[in-house]
Amino acid sequence: MSFKKDEETGLGAYYNNKTTVLQEARVFNESPISPRKCRALLTRIVYLLYLGETLGTQEATTLFFSTTKLFQHKDAALRQMLYLAIKELSGVAEDVIMVTSSIMKDMQPNSEVIYRPNAIRALCRITDASMMQGLERFFKTAIVDRNASISSAALVSSYHLYPAAKDVIKRWVNEAQEAINAKTSGSLFGVSSGSGGGFLGYGNQQQQDKFQPPPSTSYITQYHALGLLYYIRQQDRMAITRMVQQLGGKPGSSGTLKSPLAICMLIRYASKIMEEDPNMQRQMFELLEGWLRHKSDMVNYEAARAICEMRNVAPQQLTRPVSVLQVFLSSSKPTLKFAAIRTLSSLALTHPASVATCNVDMENLITDSNRSIATYAITTLLKTGNEASVDRLMKQISGFMTEISDEFKVIVVDAIRSLCLKFPAKQASMLSFLSGVLRDEGGYDFKRAVVEAIFDMIKFIQDCKETALAHLCEFIEDCEFTKLSVRILHLLGIEGPKTPQPTKYIRYIYNRVVLENAIVRAAAVSSLAKFGALVNDLAVKKSIGVLLRRCLDDVDDEVRDRAALYLHTIDDAPLAETYVKDDTVFSLGALETQLVAYVNDPDASDEPFDVSSIPTVSREQAFQETARPSSLDTIAQPAARAAAGPAPVGPTAAQTKSAYAEQLAAVPEFAEYGTVLNSSSKPQALTESETEYVVTVVKHIFKEYVVFQFNVSNTLPDTVLEQVSALMIPNSEGLTENFIIPIPALTPATSPGTIYVSFSRDSPEEYALGSFQTSLKYVSKEVDPTTGEPEEEGYEDDYQVEEVEVGAADYIVPNYVNFSQEWERLGHGATATETFSLSALDSLKAACDSLIEVLNMEPLGGTEIPTSNSVHALTLSGLVTGGGGKVLARSRMTYSAGQGVTLELSVRAEKEAACQLVISAIGD
């Protein structure tokens, strides 16, 4: 019988009602027990819980202990259903541990019953860390059981219990290894084909006494055992590497593993090893190439995908995996075709030439009945094709855009977005396509993707700017998404005044003031003000003034306030420069951190909040910090890498510094230090990532102190480090050590640990620079492999790391400004000019990167990318901490093959000390 969920009314709704089910729970107390009635009621309970029905703690507890009375009956099917209900109720009910003894009777090693795996899974839900010592023997026996379902149940339960009982489950490595190496295993369901007992043992009362499971060919136990082994050894990179090499076997051989799922998991482990340890890349690559010849399509695809997603993969290494994926493109299985074309689409972003060999096969997929496959085929061809094929592909795309979902429409639009920049000569046809789909029905993500693509064309292709702006004006006439309307109005305010006929956009903008909601009206007022401030035509300024005065009667206060502000500023050049033309905003992360510190400091209220110490960023930078990554950025990300990491967008520099400030505030020794003026934007590595001890340092600048934060990781699984401290010997004067906060004990499980070393600034008004010879001091103790405890006595040792330097970059915060305006303003302040010869640098790009890194200043106007190979000018802006004020630098540089880079550095600052700080950073 089939039925729709939304038609489940009347008797069906009453039958599956929570109240009805709880009332019918009386059937569990009947004598004798009716297995059939109890199974049906348990099924309804689990069904309700799966639908999201919630039970109160008291209801769940009463129901849970009612079901436990069913342990008196020996019906196998009832017992299996009982365990399923216990698992679902155990998370809500109280005192569930009371049923442990009943469950343990069913999981005895000599108990050959069909529901033994169910008992193991249920026990996993109700047990805790304190009981694991007593259950260890049962789980070890179950892991090596011949029956695949019993072994798998024990392995999966161990996996879920590992976070709560790591020390106990770590001792089960040998059993898990034995489960991987088992040659044969019992049936997954544990039912003999000749038992005649019905599906899963229903109606067979005698089967509980004894059954002989036939051998299974699934080898699912290997998959579960491999997952548990990796979970136990994940902190030991060498052990993981050995495991992959042992289980993978020699290149070309079948190896120990028979389960395709287990081999796929092993491939992912091998990929992770290659990513973390470049020295193992050759050995792991040979294993991956061997799995390309496996008899399972699943393994072939996983190996091919892993090679395609390798970092810095060479074109010659892609030949065989691309051939495997090319074969899958002509497969009769839609899943294989989809997987292959999706991987090739990702690869085409970085290696279009390697994917181009599959163009003929992908052409055949354009007409595939599965539109998801056809979408990927066309977008991949767009990336690998030439300029001549663009028009033909665009026509084919237009034919089925209405037949695919918004998710795939976004993929198509993002592919065209990248194509616009690749073939700017085809901008007319692509812009026509984008404007057409902009008028089609679609959700916010789809329309946002189209608008972003048109924005890119306006930014990078000057020939299409006016046409693209016209299409956007038409779109906002009937746009239902407020966010998009606001962004388009902002863009019109920036680009419209620069066009030959700016007046033709004013009508579209003012229509938004008349017809839209308050948010869009406010954005339209700001956009109109930009036309009034940036267009030099007096008639236009007068017209804008008339339109803004009409806005003074708006019902919304935000719109009225903006109109009043802009009416007073657009005719006053200095005010217009500050409030209309200025594109800078405060860095919200830094502003929040400073405000929190100001509010929490009881002595700070004596002085007003100093807004000049807050760094500024451009509006584009502020938007990039908060915007989600586009599909163009995420579509090529390896699935495993995207799932394993944190979020696709990492924390900004301001967010990182805010997190450091919170960490330091939690240390009592730093309570009197005041506000953190600056912290390193990223940790400085003091050791190689492959060494036994991995050390990084972060420098925190206070008004009168400098604190060094050492993050130390111990990668040796059989060693414990105690009383770990950092010894720092300064090579210059200016800083005096106060104290060290060591790490009491450091193991791989507790890594990374943090050491703090505090220094006083002898003269807080000066910027102390210099380097420190640094080494770790600790007591090393071996770990007893049997007990897992460290030895009582160890030996003192030290570990030399690279020098730690305090440079100008530690005192400067990047700060966005209007360079020409600020440079002119600081002309009467502190100035300095020096010439330097940088013979070691081999290009202007290297010189720009080096200057930005050494000074930690914000490059302005895109000057960080040289447009010439011989002459370039780099402009930089920063904010010196501790009241040092703004500092600007203009670097004029030339490059010649024989002499390297010659640099003329001009610096202007509000204070002389800040000016000398920048000059000394290059001179040293």
Side-chain angles (χ1 to χ4, degrees):
M1 181 179 70
S2 63
F3 60 93
K4 294 182 180 177
K5 188 176 184 298
D6 55 4
E7 294 175 358
E8 207 176 307
T9 58
L11 182 62
Y14 169 77
Y15 183 73
N16 291 319
N17 181 272
K18 181 178 79 168
T19 305
T20 306
V21 169
L22 292 175
Q23 289 176 349
E24 293 183 10
R26 295 189 301 269
V27 72
F28 299 144
N29 299 320
E30 291 180 358
S31 182
I33 294 173
S34 171
R36 181 177 172 276
K37 288 182 180 180
C38 294
R39 282 202 307 267
L41 186 58
L42 288 170
T43 302
R44 289 163 60 193
I45 292 171
V46 174
Y47 172 74
L48 283 175
L49 293 172
Y50 281 174
L51 287 182
E53 187 70 59
T54 57
L55 296 176
T57 303
Q58 185 59 42
E59 292 173 334
T61 304
T62 304
L63 192 58
F64 179 85
F65 284 102
S66 297
T67 61
T68 57
K69 297 176 183 178
L70 301 180
F71 278 106
Q72 300 171 16
H73 202 280
K74 299 296 184 183
D75 184 82
L78 174 62
R79 191 66 61 87
Q80 288 178 308
M81 199 65 223
L82 171 61
Y83 281 128
L84 193 59
I86 287 176
K87 283 168 55 181
E88 297 304 320
L89 292 171
S90 62
V92 186
E94 295 178 338
D95 300 324
V96 293
I97 203 169
M98 303 283 289
V99 79
T100 303
S101 59
S102 299
I103 296 177
M104 290 182 64
K105 289 179 182 178
D106 288 343
M107 59 176 289
Q108 295 291 335
N110 58 354
S111 174
E112 297 199 7
V113 288
I114 192 173
Y115 43 78
R116 187 179 166 198
N118 305 86
I120 295 171
R121 292 191 180 94
L123 185 64
C124 166
R125 292 292 187 92
I126 68 171
T127 191
D128 56 25
S130 62
M131 299 174 58
M132 287 307 298
Q133 292 282 0
L135 298 174
E136 183 174 9
R137 177 173 60 86
F138 295 99
F139 274 100
K140 279 187 172 183
T141 305
I143 287 174
V144 297
D145 197 284
R146 287 183 62 253
N147 190 339
S149 58
I150 295 173
S151 181
S152 290
L155 288 164
V156 173
S157 299
S158 303
Y159 188 92
H160 291 302
L161 289 169
Y162 181 79
K166 293 182 180 179
D167 294 336
V168 177
I169 296 177
K170 279 181 179 179
R171 300 198 291 265
W172 304 355
V173 170
N174 293 335
E175 284 73 17
Q177 189 70 49
E178 186 176 341
I180 287 181
N181 296 331
K183 299 299 181 184
T184 60
S185 59
S187 169
L188 180 60
F189 296 107
V191 181
S192 172
S193 58
S195 63
F199 180 65
L200 291 179
Y202 277 77
N204 187 354
Q205 297 286 345
Q206 298 177 350
Q207 189 182 22
Q208 61 192 0
D209 296 326
K210 191 174 182 180
F211 65 95
Q212 293 295 329
S216 168
T217 57
S218 69
Y219 294 98
I220 192 66
T221 304
Q222 292 186 334
Y223 173 66
H224 294 144
L226 181 62
L228 179 60
L229 272 180
Y230 179 80
Y231 206 14
I232 293 173
R233 295 173 173 174
Q234 60 182 336
Q235 301 295 336
D236 188 350
R237 187 186 300 170
M238 295 302 298
I240 294 295
T241 303
R242 287 195 300 269
M243 181 182 74
V244 171
Q245 290 176 324
Q246 290 170 359
L247 297 178
K250 296 180 180 179
S253 66
S254 59
T256 306
L257 298 179
K258 305 296 181 184
S259 167
L261 288 171
I263 298 176
C264 289
M265 189 62 70
L266 199 66
I267 290 172
R268 296 187 181 186
Y269 297 156
S271 300
K272 189 174 182 181
I273 291 171
M274 281 196 299
E275 187 173 346
E276 294 177 350
D277 187 359
N279 297 326
M280 293 300 300
Q281 187 163 2
R282 185 180 60 82
Q283 296 93 317
M284 294 297 111
F285 181 76
E286 290 176 356
L287 286 175
L288 293 178
E289 276 204 322
W291 282 314
L292 289 173
R293 299 187 293 272
H294 197 273
K295 60 184 179 182
S296 169
D297 290 339
M298 184 194 308
V299 175
N300 296 154
Y301 168 72
E302 193 67 31
R305 185 178 68 89
I307 294 175
C308 292
E309 293 175 357
M310 281 171 51
R311 187 179 299 170
N312 301 323
V313 61
Q316 58 269 25
Q317 293 176 312
L318 292 170
T319 304
R320 292 183 59 187
V322 169
S323 300
V324 170
L325 295 174
Q326 187 174 7
V327 172
F328 288 164
L329 292 179
S330 56
S331 171
S332 59
K333 300 177 182 178
T335 51
L336 276 180
K337 286 193 289 188
F338 179 81
I341 192 64
R342 186 172 184 267
T343 302
L344 289 172
S345 179
S346 301
L347 183 64
L349 288 172
T350 53
H351 294 82
S354 299
V355 181
T357 57
C358 306
N359 279 3
V360 175
D361 300 272
M362 290 188 289
E363 291 267 7
N364 298 330
L365 295 179
I366 293 177
T367 57
D368 195 278
S369 57
N370 188 319
R371 285 309 186 191
S372 302
I373 295 174
T375 302
Y376 270 119
I378 287 187
T379 53
T380 308
L381 285 168
L382 286 173
K383 299 167 190 171
T384 60
N386 51 34
E387 195 168 356
S389 64
V390 170
D391 292 331
R392 176 174 55 83
L393 291 172
M394 297 292 288
K395 289 179 182 178
Q396 290 177 305
I397 291 174
S398 303
F400 69 82
M401 278 295 283
T402 57
E403 302 175 21
I404 59 178
S405 65
D406 276 7
E407 180 184 357
F408 286 100
K409 286 180 182 178
V410 170
I411 294 173
V412 172
V413 170
D414 280 340
I416 293 172
R417 177 180 172 186
S418 60
L419 199 68
C420 295
L421 309 181
K422 186 178 180 182
F423 303 124
K426 294 293 182 182
Q427 50 90 7
S429 61
M430 286 184 277
L431 186 58
S432 175
F433 170 81
L434 291 173
S435 64
V437 297
L438 200 56
R439 292 188 288 269
D440 294 343
E441 293 293 327
Y444 171 75
D445 287 335
F446 168 53
K447 293 298 179 71
R448 182 188 62 82
V450 179
V451 170
E452 292 280 2
I454 296 177
F455 279 11
D456 277 359
M457 294 184 71
I458 292 172
K459 183 177 180 180
F460 297 107
I461 306 174
Q462 294 297 319
D463 295 341
C464 72
K465 179 181 290 188
E466 290 191 55
T467 308
L469 289 175
H471 288 310
L472 291 177
C473 287
E474 292 177 9
F475 173 62
I476 60 174
E477 288 288 311
D478 191 28
C479 178
E480 58 184 311
F481 303 108
T482 299
K483 286 184 179 180
L484 292 182
S485 295
V486 171
R487 292 196 60 197
I488 292 171
L489 287 169
H490 177 70
L491 181 74
L492 287 173
I494 294 173
E495 300 293 343
K498 301 175 185 177
T499 58
Q501 294 179 314
T503 54
K504 65 181 180 180
Y505 304 108
I506 296 177
R507 175 175 64 87
Y508 293 101
I509 298 173
Y510 186 69
N511 283 347
R512 301 304 98 217
V513 176
V514 178
L515 302 173
E516 289 287 356
N517 59 50
I519 298 175
V520 177
R521 295 202 305 272
V525 168
S526 298
S527 185
L528 286 173
K530 285 185 170 61
F531 279 83
L534 299 174
V535 177
N536 294 322
D537 191 337
L538 293 178
V540 173
K541 288 182 180 290
K542 185 176 180 181
S543 299
I544 295 296
V546 172
L547 296 177
L548 290 177
R549 287 187 183 90
R550 293 179 183 177
C551 298
L552 293 174
D553 298 327
D554 196 276
V555 295
D556 186 79
D557 57 348
E558 174 72 18
V559 179
R560 295 195 304 269
D561 291 347
R562 290 196 185 194
L565 170 68
Y566 292 134
L567 276 172
H568 285 82
T569 56
I570 57 176
D571 293 328
D572 189 323
L575 290 177
E577 190 71 41
T578 303
Y579 293 103
V580 182
K581 299 180 183 179
D582 191 7
D583 195 33
T584 63
V585 295
F586 288 118
S587 173
L588 293 181
L591 178 61
E592 180 190 16
T593 303
Q594 297 281 7
L595 283 173
V596 170
Y598 181 79
V599 171
N600 292 335
D601 187 357
D603 299 328
S605 58
D606 298 337
E607 298 179 4
F609 181 73
D610 184 13
V611 75
S612 64
S613 63
I614 309 300
T616 55
V617 296
S618 66
R619 293 186 183 275
E620 185 177 354
Q621 288 173 313
F623 174 75
Q624 289 174 351
E625 288 182 359
T626 57
R628 295 179 300 172
S630 71
S631 300
L632 186 68
D633 302 321
T634 58
I635 194 66
Q637 276 192 344
R641 193 180 305 161
V649 179
T652 63
Q655 291 171 336
T656 302
K657 293 176 182 179
S658 179
Y660 285 142
E662 291 181 8
Q663 292 178 15
L664 293 169
V667 181
E669 288 82 353
F670 304 142
E672 304 298 327
Y673 279 22
T675 305
V676 183
L677 301 179
N678 191 26
S679 294
S680 308
S681 56
K682 58 182 180 180
Q684 173 190 346
L686 301 180
T687 62
E688 297 293 335
S689 59
E690 294 81 16
T691 56
E692 59 268 36
Y693 308 128
V694 180
V695 185
T696 60
V697 66
V698 177
K699 289 158 280 186
H700 307 287
I701 307 298
F702 293 82
K703 184 176 181 179
E704 298 180 358
Y705 304 92
V706 176
V707 174
F708 298 90
Q709 174 184 328
F710 293 91
N711 302 313
V712 185
S713 295
N714 176 14
T715 63
L716 300 179
D718 53 353
T719 303
V720 174
L721 306 182
E722 295 184 353
Q723 295 302 315
V724 188
S725 61
L727 178 62
M728 302 182 68
I729 303 174
N731 294 334
S732 59
E733 298 179 352
L735 295 174
T736 304
E737 184 177 309
N738 293 330
F739 56 83
I740 301 173
I741 303 178
I743 304 172
L746 185 66
T747 65
T750 59
S751 295
T754 302
I755 305 170
Y756 291 106
V757 183
S758 173
F759 280 81
S760 293
R761 296 170 62 178
D762 296 342
S763 300
E765 66 279 1
E766 297 179 359
Y767 304 104
L769 307 177
S771 60
F772 297 79
Q773 295 180 3
T774 309
S775 61
L776 295 183
K777 296 286 185 181
Y778 52 85
V779 177
S780 179
K781 294 184 179 181
E782 299 293 326
V783 176
D784 190 334
T786 56
T787 63
E789 297 294 329
E791 298 176 349
E792 292 185 3
E793 295 185 2
Y795 60 92
E796 293 186 0
D797 199 358
D798 59 1
Y799 187 78
Q800 194 73 28
V801 298
E802 292 185 9
E803 286 190 351
V804 177
E805 291 190 4
V806 177
D810 297 311
Y811 296 98
I812 300 175
V813 180
N815 185 53
Y816 179 84
V817 297
N818 184 320
F819 184 81
S820 57
Q821 179 183 343
E822 286 295 318
W823 185 260
E824 184 178 349
R825 185 181 72 84
L826 295 175
H828 302 291
T831 61
T833 302
E834 292 284 347
T835 303
F836 303 95
S837 178
L838 308 177
S839 57
L841 299 178
D842 57 358
S843 68
L844 294 178
K845 182 66 172 67
C848 290
D849 294 341
S850 179
L851 280 174
I852 294 170
E853 181 180 359
V854 169
L855 298 176
N856 193 33
M857 296 173 71
E858 180 75 24
L860 302 174
T863 55
E864 68 273 19
I865 302 175
T867 56
S868 169
N869 293 328
S870 56
V871 180
H872 182 61
L874 171 67
T875 55
L876 301 168
S877 171
L879 200 63
V880 180
T881 59
K886 293 181 181 178
V887 58
L888 301 182
R890 183 175 63 191
S891 308
R892 295 173 176 171
M893 54 188 79
T894 61
Y895 172 76
S896 60
Q899 299 178 349
V901 176
T902 302
L903 169 70
E904 181 193 72
L905 180 65
S906 299
V907 182
R908 292 183 181 180
E910 293 178 345
K911 295 186 178 181
E912 183 66 32
C915 194
Q916 293 304 319
L917 175 67
V918 174
I919 292 293
S920 63
I922 306 300
D924 293 341

